[in-house]
């Protein structure tokens, strides 16, 4: 990757840990499409885009999305000018759609209030939509080489092992953050942050830390004492509750299906869905009738057929089980809503759970699919 020369660093003292880590990073850094070679000036747009995409997602998953977004929208202005639906569609499959909405919102704020330049200031970055403390610190350090300390689960794990912290997470969070801040060097903070990220991703992994090749083992208390793989300790997580709902797959004889947009706020906000009832915890006694999913204007005479299989999907905080019921709307007047041809469904940003619904209906060979096959 080419670019103009990076700001010159004043030579400053590094502690032994950061020195060893940076030397290892210079020799073994991962090659990633958003990463810059030493001497190149990072493009904050690319750094920001990669960091937003990487939140709670793996590098391997992110790479094709990152490349697709850059090809489609090479600058923050291009992204800000794009219709939200196009952005949501390009994001589909990456999960956590609120991030895509905030991504778009953030691009607009950067274009309109910051002259299309990301601010070179951690606090100002944190004030932008969708940028929390971790992402602000990551962008500040990687894009602008400012002294900032991004701390996520990987870095907490490395710190817990280096210092052999036995306090379980999340109670240990504050202490681990302070330790990470204490190690951050004045010189090359951006490279140091990426070195720690690489270490956590490739050597100090959750189950099998490869201490024998670790550049930090001379400084690592858990390595000296043994049992590194048992750190960090974690408080047991409460079991995820199960929520249930019903999806109403309504077809029109000419080969279209009814979809609608979810409310802007809340889970999967603004995404398209096959109309569904609210998702409630099991046994709360709430109604799951068609009027809950489809609203008024749906003829009461419609006969619904329950599909044999439910669709299961797990979100961060709960498991979801969706029953699918299916019917064909008859009569002269088409119920109101967005009717789309089956083959055009993929042009709409359906979240993964709704894609599962489509797949399930397809597998159960519903009337619309049967008709589509005949054409
Ligand atoms: Fe992690 Fe082992 Fe390195 Fe310690 S020595 S930081 S436990 S990989």
């Amino acid at each position: 990757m080419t670019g103009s020369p990076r700001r010159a660093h004043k030579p400053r003292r590094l502690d032994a840990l950061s020195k060893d880590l940076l030397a290892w990073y210079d020799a073994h850094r991962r090659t990633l499409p958003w990463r810059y070679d030493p001497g190149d000036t990072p493009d904050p747009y690319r750094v920001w885009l990669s960091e937003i995409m990487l939140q709670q997602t793996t590098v391997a998953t992110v790479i094709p999305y990152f490349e697709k977004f850059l090809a489609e929208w090479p600058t923050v202005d291009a992204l800000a000018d794009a219709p939200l639906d196009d952005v949501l569609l390009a994001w589909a499959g990456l999960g956590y759609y609120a991030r895509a909405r905030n991504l778009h919102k953030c691009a607009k704020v950067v274009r309109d209030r910051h002259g299309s330049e990301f601010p070179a200031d951690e606090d100002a970055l944190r004030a932008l939509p969708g940028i929390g403390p971790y992402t602000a610190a990551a962008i500040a350090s990687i894009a602008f080489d400012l002294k900032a300390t991004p701390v996520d689960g990987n870095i907490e794990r490395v710190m817990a092992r280096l210092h052999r912290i036995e306090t379980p997470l999340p109670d240990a969070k504050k202490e681990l953050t302070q330790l990470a801040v204490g190690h951050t060097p004045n010189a090359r903070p951006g490279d140091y942050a990426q070195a720690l990220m690489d270490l956590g991703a490739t050597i100090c992994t959750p189950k099998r830390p490869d201490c024998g090749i670790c550049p930090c083992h001379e400084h690592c208390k858990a390595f000296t004492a043994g049992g590194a793989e048992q750190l960090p300790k974690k408080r047991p997580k409460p079991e995820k509750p199960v929520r249930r709902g019903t999806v109403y797959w309504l077809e029109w004889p000419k080969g279209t299906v009814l979809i609608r947009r979810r409310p802007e706020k809340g889970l999967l906000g603004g995404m398209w869905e096959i109309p569904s009832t609210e998702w409630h915890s099991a046994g709360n006694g709430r109604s799951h009738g068609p009027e809950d999913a489809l609203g008024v204007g749906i003829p009461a005479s419609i006969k619904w057929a329950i599909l044999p299989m439910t669709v299961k999907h797990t979100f961060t905080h709960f498991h979801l089980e969706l029953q699918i019921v299916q019917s064909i709307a008859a009569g002269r007047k088409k119920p109101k809503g967005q009717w789309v041809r089956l083959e055009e469904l993929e042009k709409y940003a359906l979240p993964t759970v709704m894609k599962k619904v489509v797949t399930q209906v397809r597998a159960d060979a519903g009337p619309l699919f049967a008709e589509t096959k005949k054409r």
Side-chain angles (χ1 to χ4, degrees):
M1 192 175 290
T2 56
S4 52
R6 204 169 181 171
R7 293 174 296 289
H9 297 295
K10 284 186 194 157
R12 290 175 184 142
R13 212 166 61 80
L14 296 168
D15 70 13
L17 171 71
S18 31
K19 210 172 179 178
D20 289 347
L21 194 53
L22 282 167
W24 170 78
Y25 180 72
D26 289 340
H28 300 287
R29 62 216 293 281
R30 286 181 293 175
T31 303
L32 300 170
W34 47 85
R35 189 161 269 180
Y36 286 79
D37 291 334
D40 287 352
T41 300
D43 174 359
Y45 171 64
R46 296 169 68 111
V47 175
W48 163 75
L49 187 60
S50 64
E51 286 300 329
I52 299 291
M53 288 184 165
L54 284 165
Q55 289 167 6
Q56 311 192 32
T57 315
T58 62
V59 164
T61 306
V62 164
I63 287 174
Y65 283 90
F66 178 81
E67 287 173 341
K68 179 168 66 172
F69 267 67
L70 264 195
E72 188 82 16
W73 303 295
T75 62
V76 71
D77 282 358
L79 184 61
D81 294 343
L84 174 62
D85 271 343
D86 290 0
V87 176
L88 290 174
L89 187 59
W91 188 274
L94 206 44
Y96 302 95
Y97 293 92
R99 284 195 282 135
R101 303 171 65 73
N102 275 328
L103 182 91
H104 192 242
K105 215 188 274 177
C106 182
K108 285 181 167 176
V109 173
V110 171
R111 180 194 62 191
D112 299 341
R113 295 197 212 146
H114 294 276
S116 303
E117 303 276 353
F118 280 85
D121 176 273
E122 191 177 353
D123 289 339
L125 285 164
R126 202 189 294 193
L128 293 171
I131 298 189
Y134 172 83
T135 308
I139 299 169
S141 61
I142 299 170
F144 301 108
D145 214 20
L146 296 171
K147 189 175 175 185
T149 310
V151 182
D152 66 354
N154 281 326
I155 292 171
E156 284 174 349
R157 180 172 65 254
V158 175
M159 289 299 141
R161 290 172 176 174
L162 284 173
H163 293 272
R164 201 162 168 249
I165 303 298
E166 303 266 358
T167 313
L169 283 166
D171 309 74
K173 269 185 179 295
K174 201 170 163 196
E175 186 180 5
L176 297 174
T177 299
Q178 283 167 350
L179 288 167
V181 169
H183 281 297
T184 305
N186 291 324
R188 301 181 64 193
D191 287 343
Y192 174 80
Q194 293 176 94
L196 260 189
M197 290 171 188
D198 280 14
L199 186 79
T202 61
I203 292 183
C204 196
T205 54
K207 291 196 178 131
R208 273 191 220 112
D210 202 348
C211 302
I213 59 163
C214 177
C216 302
H217 70 260
E218 280 181 21
H219 316 281
C220 182
K221 292 184 181 165
F223 171 66
T224 308
E229 66 287 348
Q230 282 152 34
L231 294 176
K233 297 201 164 145
K234 292 187 184 158
R235 259 200 268 146
K237 282 189 192 156
E239 275 209 7
K240 288 184 188 182
V242 178
R243 294 189 195 168
R244 296 197 172 91
T246 305
V247 171
Y248 284 82
W249 180 278
L250 186 59
E251 300 161 20
W252 191 249
K254 294 279 172 158
T256 52
V257 62
L258 184 61
I259 64 170
R260 70 170 176 191
R261 204 187 268 282
R262 289 180 66 82
E264 292 291 314
K265 295 225 156 131
L267 189 65
L268 309 178
M271 304 289 295
W272 290 97
E273 69 168 4
I274 316 301
S276 93
T277 58
E278 284 185 34
W279 304 336
H280 298 296
S281 299
N284 77 349
R286 296 288 292 267
S287 159
H288 277 178
E291 66 285 357
D292 297 312
L294 299 160
V296 290
I298 299 298
S301 54
I302 291 179
K303 298 275 180 284
W304 296 96
I306 298 175
L307 296 193
M309 301 295 287
T310 55
V311 163
K312 295 186 179 172
H313 189 75
T314 296
F315 291 95
T316 318
H317 300 298
F318 63 95
H319 300 293
L320 177 65
E321 291 179 12
L322 287 177
Q323 181 183 58
I324 306 171
V325 296
Q326 182 189 34
S327 191
I328 299 181
R332 268 190 250 150
K333 224 171 145 201
K334 205 185 240 187
K336 278 191 188 153
Q338 184 87 8
W339 290 88
V340 298
R341 299 199 65 79
L342 176 66
E343 58 271 26
E344 291 184 350
L345 262 183
E346 64 183 30
K347 292 186 185 162
Y348 291 79
L350 289 178
T352 305
V353 61
M354 288 298 154
K355 286 186 178 159
K356 286 185 183 176
V357 169
V358 176
T359 304
Q360 193 61 55
V361 175
R362 187 186 293 270
D364 286 338
L368 178 59
F369 288 94
E371 190 177 323
T372 306
K373 278 182 204 154
K374 267 190 250 150
R375 280 201 299 270

